[in-house]
Amino acid sequence: MAVVDKVHDDIAEVVITEELLQARVRQLGKEISRDYEGKPLLLVAILKGAAVFLADLIRAIDVPVDYDFVAVSSYGKGTQSPGVVEFKKDLDSDVAGRHVLIVEDIVDTGWTLRLSYIREKMLARDAASVRVCALLDKPSRRQVDVDVDYCGFVIEDRFVVGYGLDWAGDYRNLPYIGVLKPEVRGEA
Ligand code: IMP
Ligand code: MG
């Protein structure tokens, strides 16, 4: 009989608990609600990683807000610049006159935000302002400067999964942020 795999069994260490995540997302929601009071706000989440964070964040915001999605091409985890990051799915919404808050799961090297030119694109479409809200930030990995206006947690240089973040398409459904056992990533 097949062994039933549980995603939790592959986790070596929980880095951010579900309780801590939820508490921080509520705080971010309060900050954003205060900062954008009276302003038309549109959250733009980058698929797929930011979807889980977005779903909780939106419910922690208590001023009028809508959301939309973009998908950008991803690249390998090498240290080189990916060169080009393409939009695989553009916005459906009109951003003219709206305050755009880009929602990202994690800012690592910074290349995705930089090379997608998402900020420039939104401004070119007459967004009233563009800011970035990232759940996680790994500043020690940064290769290009990007402004992270709202940050959930600064973390060390470790590959993490859960709460939307994947490894090879798995573990997005974990309610916490964790580190995989080395043997799962073929390191042992
Ligand atoms: P950047 O372009 O290097 O800033 O990387 C951003 C993207 O890489 C994120 O949106 C994630 O999809 C992915 N990424 C970076 N670090 C991690 C990690 O620790 N776990 C899972 N995905 C990651
Ligand atoms: Mg991502």
Side-chain angles (χ1 to χ4, degrees):
M1 205 173 83
V3 177
V4 179
D5 289 320
K6 291 260 173 59
V7 283
H8 303 282
D9 294 343
D10 291 344
I11 300 301
E13 190 192 326
V14 175
V15 178
I16 308 171
T17 64
E18 182 173 2
E19 291 70 27
L20 209 54
L21 275 173
Q22 295 297 332
R24 183 68 185 123
V25 172
R26 275 195 298 275
Q27 279 178 353
L28 285 172
K30 280 205 181 95
E31 266 182 62
I32 292 166
S33 303
R34 192 190 58 217
D35 294 350
Y36 288 93
E37 200 180 341
K39 297 177 177 172
L41 175 61
L42 178 70
L43 301 192
V44 174
I46 302 182
L47 290 172
K48 298 194 272 192
V52 176
F53 177 36
L54 173 78
D56 284 340
L57 184 63
I58 197 104
R59 287 175 289 176
I61 292 175
D62 61 9
V63 295
V65 60
D66 193 5
Y67 60 84
D68 202 343
F69 298 95
V70 293
V72 297
S73 56
S74 53
Y75 52 89
K77 296 307 297 174
T79 52
Q80 298 300 308
S81 153
V84 179
V85 175
E86 279 168 5
F87 270 70
K88 292 191 293 183
K89 183 220 168 295
D90 206 338
L91 289 181
D92 299 317
S93 314
D94 184 2
V95 300
R98 300 166 93 178
H99 293 267
V100 171
L101 185 58
I102 295 162
V103 180
E104 239 306 30
D105 51 359
I106 182 166
V107 180
D108 187 35
T109 62
W111 284 119
T112 300
L113 284 178
R114 171 61 71 84
L115 290 175
S116 64
Y117 294 100
I118 187 164
R119 186 186 292 270
E120 292 80 357
K121 273 199 177 79
M122 299 299 128
L123 290 172
R125 294 174 192 174
D126 294 324
S129 71
V130 183
R131 283 179 170 174
V132 172
C133 175
L135 177 70
L136 305 175
D137 189 0
K138 273 190 210 172
S140 61
R141 290 258 309 163
R142 200 74 93 250
Q143 295 181 5
V144 284
D145 260 348
V146 291
D147 292 328
V148 178
D149 303 283
Y150 300 91
C151 169
F153 302 87
V154 171
I155 62 166
E156 291 170 34
D157 180 11
R158 300 168 85 186
F159 191 85
V160 292
V161 295
Y163 199 70
L165 289 104
D166 72 309
W167 182 74
D170 287 326
Y171 309 103
R172 294 189 197 276
N173 54 323
L174 293 172
Y176 49 81
I177 300 282
V179 172
L180 289 170
K181 291 177 179 167
E183 61 267 30
V184 175
R185 290 177 69 198
E187 287 169 1

